[in-house]
Amino acid sequence: MPFSHDMVCSLAAVADLVNTAPETGGLDGLTSVAELDAYVRRNELSGVEGVGDGDLREVRALRATFLAIFAAPDSASAVALLNVLLERTRITAHLTEHDDYPLHVHYFAKGAPVAEHLAAELGVALAHLLVDGEWERLRTCAAPDCERVFVDESRNRSRVYCDSRTCGNRMHVAAYRARRRA
């Protein structure tokens, strides 16, 4: 499934947000306003004026909801969780062009707090994925020591590692060494 540029960005941003959770195998990556600001800058979220302590609390709660969606046992469960999230979110669709990107749709209300902005933009991207019957693209890394999540954008839905340069390479080297020992 070819994803549009803004959908790729939103899906990458939701995976990045979920991967800041300690449940994904690392340290909590959202413990300060500075870390939230770094997340916003890293994902080039347009329309975010600034972040504060209240935003940090709300985004951390939102992160837990997105983690539950990735961990849902089936598509119906993911749909139910996403519907609850979207029902609580003001969504105001508007067309925009910025930063040399072609015309695309933003779903957040102007001036919305960062958590609501993320709920709208990232929630709608996940909704499109679910509507298109692509729920199985929401994955957890297959490496035994990694719990990071990712969205499989491969054409044949074959990606199993969060990053081929780290987890994928490490697992392939381990398999090669095991074959050589045998």
Side-chain angles (χ1 to χ4, degrees):
M1 158 181 214
F3 296 118
S4 66
H5 176 266
D6 52 322
M7 186 152 169
V8 168
C9 292
S10 293
L11 293 172
V14 74
D16 187 22
L17 179 61
V18 170
N19 286 330
T20 66
E23 294 88 346
T24 59
L27 299 174
D28 192 336
L30 273 184
T31 60
S32 69
V33 172
E35 287 175 331
L36 176 57
D37 187 57
Y39 166 81
V40 168
R41 282 185 279 111
R42 182 172 62 247
N43 288 283
E44 299 177 354
L45 299 176
S46 60
V48 176
E49 303 295 322
V51 296
D53 289 331
D55 294 317
L56 180 61
R57 282 188 299 280
E58 291 174 12
V59 171
R60 287 172 57 88
L62 179 63
R63 174 181 70 181
T65 301
F66 283 132
L67 178 60
I69 292 167
F70 268 85
D74 53 44
S75 178
S77 300
V79 167
L81 291 166
L82 191 54
N83 275 335
V84 170
L85 172 73
L86 292 173
E87 287 169 4
R88 298 188 324 237
T89 305
R90 287 182 299 157
I91 295 178
T92 307
H94 63 275
L95 296 169
T96 185
E97 289 178 290
H98 59 85
D99 301 324
D100 295 326
Y101 294 119
L103 189 64
H104 59 282
V105 182
H106 280 187
Y107 296 97
F108 59 91
K110 290 186 186 231
V114 68
E116 188 173 347
H117 175 125
L118 292 171
E121 286 288 323
L122 308 183
V124 167
L126 287 174
H128 283 292
L129 197 72
L130 291 165
V131 165
D132 290 341
E134 301 287 351
W135 174 77
E136 68 277 354
R137 289 185 182 269
L138 302 179
R139 304 255 174 98
T140 301
C141 185
D145 58 342
C146 184
E147 297 292 324
R148 294 178 60 83
V149 302
F150 64 95
V151 178
D152 180 3
E153 296 175 40
S154 67
R155 184 174 296 179
N156 63 355
R157 296 172 186 83
S158 62
R159 187 171 158 202
V160 294
Y161 301 114
C162 65
D163 186 354
S164 61
R165 292 180 308 259
T166 55
C167 289
N169 188 49
R170 190 174 66 249
M171 297 307 296
H172 289 110
V173 167
Y176 170 78
R177 289 181 179 160
R179 284 191 307 272
R180 297 284 290 169
R181 282 191 298 265

